[in-house]
Amino acid sequence: MSATAEVAELYSAIEESARLLGVACSRDKVGPILTTYGDAFEHDVTVVAFRVATGVRHVGELDCRFTTHPKHRDPYALALSNGLGARTKHPVGALLFDMQGRLPIDSYGIDFGVVGGFKKIYSFFAPDDLQELSTLVDIPSMPRSLAENGDFFARYGLDDRVGVIGIDYPHRTMNVYFNEVPAECFESKTIVSMLRETGFAEPSEQMLKLGQAAFGLYVTLSWDSSRIERICFAVTTTELKTLPVRIEPEIEKFVSSVPYSGADRKFVYGVALAPEGDYYKLESHYKWKPGTMDFIQ
């Protein structure tokens, strides 16, 4: 299938999903994003996923994300040149450029909202070339909160296992995704210890059950605070009924309506813990290949 045909097919799937969820979808909003990164569909786009989340901040939104944008192109420069975002003097605008000059980025991912528009760029490192925090903290535009929490990450065996960096341009935050997370990090006592150490509320039983079944862990940091803004644990499954938790009504509605291609379905279900409370999110893979890297991995 040609890139143009793939883009048209993806837009139709986004439009259908948004309609079923009652989310406003505008071709004027979504079309330019897909067109800007259309060359990604000329290559081997390994993952296309839709995501919804609970919580006030996420009401009325449907997110879409895809890999891989060719690594020889600068996805942030493309976003700016095509009017998807505004230039800023904030360090968030320099971070990807600074990383490109210092880190072996293997591929990219793009994240956008049907309502909110262009949001994030993900930089993936090869599974056999995970990055160390000691390298990341030396990058000039990197949030200092990464270095300030270095002892925390080292204590839990995460300081040399960075697999993905996600840059959220509208919110001016950064996600650090850890690969090959030590099994101890998913034990209840460790989860409780992590949350207490970062000043979060005691976890619910549902959260602990999900954490024990998790494979993925990431944190959210900002330039405005030294604290860890959010911690997220995630589980991957092809059947939601196997998860040890009750699925929220908003997410059940999403699962029953969102389209997918191929014979099998795959989900990544996560709980994000923040000072304002927990919220849950579900990423449903519209397109994926067995063995490919999940966004949250």
Side-chain angles (χ1 to χ4, degrees):
M1 186 183 296
S2 68
T4 301
E6 289 238 20
V7 167
E9 180 183 278
L10 178 55
Y11 179 78
S12 295
I14 293 170
E15 188 175 51
E16 177 186 355
S17 301
R19 179 180 59 79
L20 293 170
L21 291 169
V23 174
C25 180
S26 166
R27 187 177 291 274
D28 291 341
K29 175 77 73 171
V30 175
I33 300 171
L34 298 182
T35 300
T36 294
Y37 299 107
D39 61 344
F41 296 92
E42 296 175 2
H43 301 266
D44 188 19
V45 178
T46 54
V47 177
V48 178
F50 300 141
R51 193 193 75 172
V52 294
T54 62
V56 175
R57 171 178 166 180
H58 307 280
V59 171
E61 180 66 289
L62 170 66
D63 289 320
C64 178
R65 45 187 62 181
F66 59 86
T67 62
T68 48
H69 184 70
K71 62 182 178 181
H72 64 277
R73 302 285 296 277
D74 185 329
Y76 186 52
L78 273 179
L80 295 178
S81 63
N82 285 274
L84 304 183
R87 294 187 183 278
T88 176
K89 294 182 179 179
H90 189 279
V92 72
L95 182 55
L96 184 61
F97 177 79
D98 287 350
M99 288 170 52
Q100 288 168 332
R102 294 167 173 82
L103 301 176
I105 298 173
D106 185 62
S107 59
Y108 294 106
I110 306 299
D111 188 320
F112 66 92
V114 171
V115 176
F118 173 77
K119 293 182 178 179
K120 294 182 182 181
I121 291 174
Y122 299 90
S123 298
F124 295 87
F125 308 114
D128 60 354
D129 194 16
L130 301 183
Q131 297 300 295
E132 298 186 8
L133 290 181
S134 59
T135 301
L136 299 179
V137 298
D138 288 336
I139 294 174
S141 55
M142 187 66 64
R144 299 320 305 163
S145 51
L146 182 64
E148 290 166 355
N149 287 284
D151 289 345
F152 172 85
F153 298 125
R155 200 155 35 252
Y156 294 103
L158 301 169
D159 54 322
D160 58 353
R161 306 193 184 197
V162 178
V164 186
I165 296 291
I167 305 172
D168 187 326
Y169 292 95
H171 293 107
R172 295 182 173 179
T173 57
M174 182 189 78
N175 300 134
V176 182
Y177 296 76
F178 299 100
N179 284 18
E180 300 178 9
V181 176
E184 293 80 5
C185 289
F186 302 125
E187 295 177 357
S188 292
K189 63 181 181 180
T190 307
I191 294 173
V192 171
S193 175
M194 281 184 172
L195 298 181
R196 284 177 178 169
E197 191 171 344
T198 49
F200 290 2
E202 292 290 312
S204 65
E205 284 300 315
Q206 173 162 310
M207 188 270 131
L208 287 176
K209 287 180 180 179
L210 191 70
Q212 290 169 351
F215 77 95
L217 168 64
Y218 77 85
V219 300
T220 301
L221 303 169
S222 79
W223 283 263
D224 300 325
S225 170
S226 62
R227 69 176 297 164
I228 293 174
E229 303 284 330
R230 283 183 294 279
I231 299 178
C232 183
F233 295 86
V235 178
T236 184
T237 182
T238 56
E239 178 52 69
L240 289 180
K241 292 180 181 179
T242 64
L243 296 180
V245 295
R246 179 185 64 84
I247 305 300
E248 292 72 17
E250 307 98 303
I251 290 180
E252 284 187 345
K253 179 181 179 182
F254 171 68
V255 171
S256 66
S257 59
V258 68
Y260 64 99
S261 62
D264 299 316
R265 303 196 70 172
K266 182 182 181 183
F267 304 101
V268 176
Y269 184 82
V271 54
L273 300 108
E276 63 271 20
D278 304 349
Y279 64 90
Y280 294 84
K281 48 193 175 180
L282 180 74
E283 181 177 288
S284 176
H285 287 61
Y286 173 73
K287 178 180 178 180
W288 69 286
K289 292 182 180 180
T292 56
M293 181 181 292
D294 292 303
F295 275 92
I296 204 163
Q297 239 175 322

